[in-house]
Amino acid sequence: MAERRLQVTSRLGLHARAAANLVRVASQFKSRITLQRLDGNAEEADAKSILSILTLAASRGTDLKIVAGGEDEQEALEAVVGLFSRDFDETEKDDGKYISRATNEVRCKGLGVSDGVVIGRVLRLQEGTRNVYRAEIAEGDLERERRRFRAAVRLSRRQLETIKDRAEKELGRGHAYIFDAHLLFLHDAKLTRDVEDYIVKERSNAEWAAKVVGDRLPSIYTQINDEYLRERGSDIEDVIQRLLANLTGEGHKYPNLSEDAVIVSTDMLPSTIAELNLNHVKAIATDAGGWTSHMAIIARGLGLTTVVGLRDFYQRTRTGDRIVVDARRGEVILHPADETIAQYQFTPAGPTPAAPHVVEFGPVRTLDGVEVSLRANVELPTEFQSIHDFGACGVGLFRSEFLLSRHGLMTSDVEQYETYKLLAETAGEYGAIVRLFDVGGELGPDVKERERNPALGLRAVRFSLRHKEIMRTQVRAILRAAAAGPLSLVIPMVADVADVRLAKRVIEEELEHLKAENVPYSPVQIGVMIEVPSAVLTAEKIAGEVDFFELGTNDLVQYTLAVDRGNDKVSEWFRTLHPAVLYGINRTLEAAGDARIPVIVCGEMASTPAYAVLLIGLGAIDLSMTPATIPRVRAVLSQINAGEARDIAMRCLAAATADEVEELVRREFKARWPDLFPSNSLPKAAESSQ
Ligand code: PEP
Ligand code: MG
């Protein structure tokens, strides 16, 4: 027998590719070669079996014992040890994501969609999974915690037995085998032992322990380039979710939760963000997403430090990993070195506090006297107060769909009424515009019913017209709440006059019902979102049917340019300043002007000072935006001439490409308003900024 102890030093540990190299080398020898973790956290592994090696989950720093036994044991041991010392012969490819081999740091570039820097701990979260927080358990309660975990395991087993029986009966044996696998995981002593050990060692609550241990397991599998084995990873995730559901189902509340959680996810439903406990979650990092994706909008609104578009970052992380999220530079750093953390500690954590300013209220005037209203876009009741904090002229857009639970439960009419009433009361004299639920698209009320092409599917007004009972409940709640203060109602994503008429009919019917029932209510102004090309092209016809327009530039860009606003792979095609988008805006403003109805521009374009100036140049005088951006937009608009903005906007309309428009904006803005627009506030050369 020949034996050697060593430590895994390669950055990614003994992962799939490295394991494959090890198998290749070990298989050249007749001797049996085994690897064993010195911390005893895994079974002895056979160096000629990739799966066996992977079950070691040997990350960087793991101490191993290697034993070779047989006629060529000495050579075999030397060869294997040599491979370890050469970091498994891997040439680490620098794909622009890693900067340091010497440290463990992994840097990933994405898109910062809000402000701030946060140093925290990863909390991996997949859609459909539960939020789990860490709690410290008192020494005397650890045994109870372990019992609670065992009870959840037993309950999960019983549930799985039942599901398996049913699957066998209804689907046949062939389909039930999957639950055998799930049951095997639950019977696997390694899983239960690891969780219980973690509870005791870390004095952790069972939920957190199960999540940390569970996160480690599938990661072994997801790196494997074999569909079957990868599937086993998602099975484990499934089992862990069941365990968590059964644990948290007991309704334990923990007062001392960790307060530095950074949610890392492939993608997030906006309503998931809306449900997060903001006392604990400090930042978000997602693989998907763009500047105007709903999750980015809401994260910005909540002031959460957020980086999106990180591509394959999620799979690199484990719950509990240390992380820096730098939204200002659009970067995340996993396993930051001490020096990196020290550097960041000089930067104030969290979003930059707004410079102390005297909040100004009311419309802003440009130097040549054009009066512009600045309203607030809000998504959650917790944001209502920000209307006053930032001097908004009421609420230009309440994205009411965030009231809906991601589990597909519609909020009751009472809850809705209370919320709209609070909104009306808080918004004050300028009033608030409530949008009918814009569900579908990214927001599906029921994730299971995802459509093939949700942005073009049963979204917004189409959803309301298909589910009239939901629409009626909402309309009634709005009409009743309007008795408490000025509310208007806006219908999202109408494609044409037909949509408008159908929706208006429902609203009128509900007005009649309320009247007949003697329920207090107030009639409301009715507007439509113009955000689809067909609505732009028929804007003058639609204008004759409604009291006002809202220009949703986020969707207008998405639909005009056929670019999914939440897909980071096509973000370079998402060009807010594309001439086609500017035509659409211009045309809508003209049609509304002819019909003498107001237009509120409420897409993210209005939140961006340079774009807000262009909007003024195109003739907009009513903008609605993320509340925190109002003071900056106000300051800029008060120092420009609308006439000059018009000059530039007209020349932009004549441009042929987004690049040309952006170049023109850069040149003209720098020349006319050098103090207002530093280079980083203008579209970047050779790539779009949004
Ligand atoms: C828009 O599309 O610009 C808009 C304001 O609505 P949302 O971002 O919610 O789709
Ligand atoms: Mg929209």
Side-chain angles (χ1 to χ4, degrees):
M1 286 280 196
E3 178 184 316
R4 193 77 62 83
R5 287 166 188 237
L6 47 72
Q7 193 175 61
V8 178
T9 53
S10 74
R11 195 177 56 79
L12 297 175
L14 195 39
H15 67 113
R17 234 178 12 243
N21 283 349
L22 180 53
V23 171
R24 195 175 37 76
V25 170
S27 304
Q28 292 164 7
F29 299 93
K30 293 210 175 78
S31 297
R32 176 173 150 72
I33 307 168
T34 58
L35 291 82
Q36 192 156 24
R37 289 180 70 116
L38 290 181
D39 59 11
N41 270 346
E43 305 288 310
E44 187 181 79
D46 177 356
K48 295 177 185 172
S49 150
I50 186 165
L51 191 54
S52 180
I53 297 170
L54 289 173
T55 56
L56 288 171
S59 56
R60 182 181 187 167
T62 306
D63 291 313
L64 296 175
K65 181 169 83 175
I66 304 178
V67 180
E71 56 189 84
D72 50 4
E73 60 192 31
Q74 210 51 50
E75 299 94 298
L77 188 68
E78 290 311 323
V80 169
V81 170
L83 186 68
F84 270 84
S85 67
R86 298 192 306 274
D87 285 349
F88 309 104
D89 289 341
E90 287 198 282
T91 41
E92 191 174 353
K93 271 203 249 116
D94 183 359
D95 57 4
K97 288 190 167 141
Y98 315 131
I99 57 153
S100 170
R101 248 185 93 107
T103 73
N104 221 5
E105 276 189 8
V106 178
R107 291 190 179 224
C108 266
K109 271 277 178 208
L111 175 71
V113 294
S114 59
D115 198 7
V117 174
V118 163
I119 303 168
R121 297 257 171 211
V122 168
L123 172 54
R124 291 172 106 226
L125 191 76
Q126 261 315 35
E127 255 336 318
T129 63
R130 316 180 72 78
N131 300 345
V132 178
Y133 300 102
R134 186 184 185 339
E136 186 152 333
I137 300 294
E139 192 75 43
D141 289 336
L142 289 175
E143 189 44 43
R144 191 209 58 191
E145 203 57 17
R146 287 169 63 189
R147 279 204 307 273
R148 206 163 68 78
F149 172 67
R150 281 179 223 145
V153 172
R154 284 196 301 275
L155 178 59
S156 304
R157 279 190 207 143
R158 283 201 299 278
Q159 289 169 343
L160 281 168
E161 297 281 5
T162 315
I163 296 171
K164 191 183 115 189
D165 286 351
R166 215 179 60 210
E168 244 168 30
K169 277 192 209 109
E170 291 172 12
L171 306 168
R173 178 80 199 113
H175 285 90
Y177 82 96
I178 185 85
F179 300 108
D180 279 332
H182 286 201
L183 276 163
L184 276 180
F185 290 132
L186 278 178
H187 282 285
D188 191 326
K190 176 168 164 47
L191 178 72
T192 45
R193 194 181 56 224
D194 282 3
V195 174
E196 289 192 36
D197 283 355
Y198 192 93
I199 291 174
V200 174
K201 251 196 239 145
E202 304 292 328
R203 293 178 48 181
S204 159
N205 51 325
E207 287 88 344
W208 183 257
K211 178 129 180 76
V212 169
V213 171
D215 267 4
R216 285 184 196 148
L217 293 173
S219 67
I220 301 169
Y221 293 92
T222 49
Q223 293 166 5
I224 301 174
N225 193 16
D226 174 304
E227 204 168 330
Y228 171 79
L229 292 177
R230 260 204 318 268
E231 289 267 310
R232 306 285 69 74
S234 58
D235 285 345
I236 297 174
E237 196 131 9
D238 205 339
V239 169
I240 297 294
Q241 286 310 317
R242 174 173 304 282
L243 272 175
L244 290 176
N246 287 330
L247 276 168
T248 50
E250 292 185 19
H252 277 256
K253 292 263 180 292
Y254 294 101
N256 308 317
L257 303 175
S258 132
E259 295 194 347
D260 57 357
V262 172
I263 302 279
V264 178
S265 181
T266 49
D267 197 3
M268 284 183 85
L269 284 177
S271 47
T272 309
I273 303 179
E275 283 180 351
L276 293 174
N277 180 342
L278 294 181
N279 291 327
H280 307 301
V281 174
K282 292 289 173 270
I284 295 176
T286 59
D287 288 0
W291 181 265
T292 64
S293 57
H294 276 120
M295 60 101 14
I297 290 172
I298 193 165
R300 225 175 1 253
L302 291 172
L304 271 172
T305 297
T306 302
V307 177
V308 303
L310 290 162
R311 310 263 165 112
D312 57 353
F313 183 64
Y314 175 77
Q315 64 172 26
R316 296 167 185 268
T317 61
R318 308 284 167 267
T319 292
D321 284 352
R322 211 150 172 66
I323 186 172
V324 174
V325 181
D326 182 345
R328 292 171 201 168
R329 292 165 57 180
E331 186 172 63
V332 293
I333 307 166
L334 192 64
H335 314 303
D338 291 345
E339 312 84 74
T340 307
I341 292 188
Q343 277 162 16
Y344 272 106
Q345 275 159 347
F346 285 111
T347 323
T352 327
H357 63 273
V358 182
V359 182
E360 290 178 51
F361 293 90
V364 58
R365 266 172 190 280
T366 62
L367 292 175
D368 50 352
V370 174
E371 201 167 89
V372 182
S373 298
L374 305 177
R375 304 178 197 252
N377 291 347
V378 289
E379 286 82 32
L380 298 169
T382 47
E383 288 176 281
F384 291 174
Q385 186 48 39
S386 61
I387 306 166
H388 301 298
D389 298 344
F390 297 104
C393 298
V395 170
L397 176 66
F398 173 41
R399 292 180 163 101
S400 65
E401 56 277 4
F402 293 100
L403 294 174
L404 304 180
S405 143
R406 71 189 155 124
H407 304 300
L409 299 172
M410 293 292 155
T411 44
S412 70
D413 54 343
V414 179
E415 244 175 292
Q416 285 193 53
Y417 166 73
E418 294 295 341
T419 308
Y420 303 144
K421 183 162 162 281
L422 176 68
L423 178 68
E425 288 164 353
T426 317
E429 54 169 331
Y430 291 105
I433 301 172
V434 181
R435 178 166 76 185
L436 292 185
F437 296 140
D438 185 352
V439 293
E442 303 167 74
L443 298 165
D446 187 336
V447 186
K448 285 190 289 266
E449 278 180 22
R450 287 267 170 182
E451 295 169 275
R452 259 166 61 102
N453 210 337
L456 305 182
L458 197 64
R459 183 186 162 183
V461 68
R462 301 171 188 175
F463 175 88
S464 294
L465 290 173
R466 180 62 59 82
H467 298 282
K468 291 236 178 57
E469 50 323 326
I470 293 173
M471 180 179 179
R472 287 184 191 282
T473 305
Q474 184 176 28
V475 168
R476 281 169 72 87
I478 295 171
L479 295 173
R480 285 172 54 218
L487 285 184
S488 308
L489 178 160
V490 69
I491 310 164
M493 210 185 139
V494 296
D496 54 22
V497 169
D499 280 346
V500 181
R501 289 187 183 150
L502 286 171
K504 275 181 68 183
R505 191 177 311 149
V506 176
I507 298 166
E508 277 150 21
E509 282 167 9
E510 286 315 309
L511 261 171
E512 290 306 317
H513 289 154
L514 289 172
K515 203 188 289 176
E517 293 161 18
N518 249 332
V519 176
Y521 73 95
S522 176
V524 296
Q525 298 233 306
I526 299 173
V528 290
M529 302 279 304
I530 301 290
E531 47 190 352
V532 182
S534 60
V536 171
L537 294 171
T538 54
E540 46 291 298
K541 302 194 172 79
I542 298 176
E545 306 271 336
V546 295
D547 298 312
F548 64 94
F549 279 170
E550 293 223 47
L551 244 168
T553 55
N554 304 332
D555 278 314
L556 192 61
V557 177
Q558 156 160 279
Y559 293 122
T560 303
L561 305 181
V563 179
D564 180 346
R565 59 196 265 192
N567 182 345
D568 56 288
K569 295 194 189 73
V570 290
S571 58
E572 65 206 83
W573 280 272
F574 193 95
R575 306 293 289 269
T576 302
L577 297 191
H578 195 289
V581 175
L582 301 184
Y583 298 150
I585 295 171
N586 193 47
R587 198 173 189 292
T588 306
L589 288 166
E590 281 181 359
D594 291 346
R596 297 186 191 286
I597 61 167
V599 182
I600 298 147
V601 185
C602 61
E604 291 308 289
M605 204 177 166
S607 297
T608 313
Y611 297 174
V613 171
L614 269 191
L615 288 167
I616 302 306
L618 290 168
I621 51 165
D622 206 328
L623 308 180
S624 192
M625 62 200 78
T626 306
T629 60
I630 291 176
R632 169 102 178 99
V633 172
R634 178 187 291 280
V636 165
L637 293 186
S638 68
Q639 296 174 71
I640 60 135
N641 262 303
E644 282 186 81
R646 181 148 193 87
D647 250 27
I648 302 172
M650 291 306 115
R651 286 166 59 199
C652 289
L653 281 177
T657 66
D659 282 342
E660 281 179 34
V661 176
E662 289 179 2
E663 174 53 31
L664 213 147
V665 165
R666 267 192 303 277
R667 208 177 48 236
E668 291 294 324
F669 280 43
K670 268 190 205 154
R672 292 174 200 248
W673 304 297
D675 299 338
L676 286 182
F677 293 103
S679 300
N680 64 3
S681 68
L682 294 170
K684 286 193 210 88
E687 62 178 40
S688 72
S689 65
Q690 293 195 15

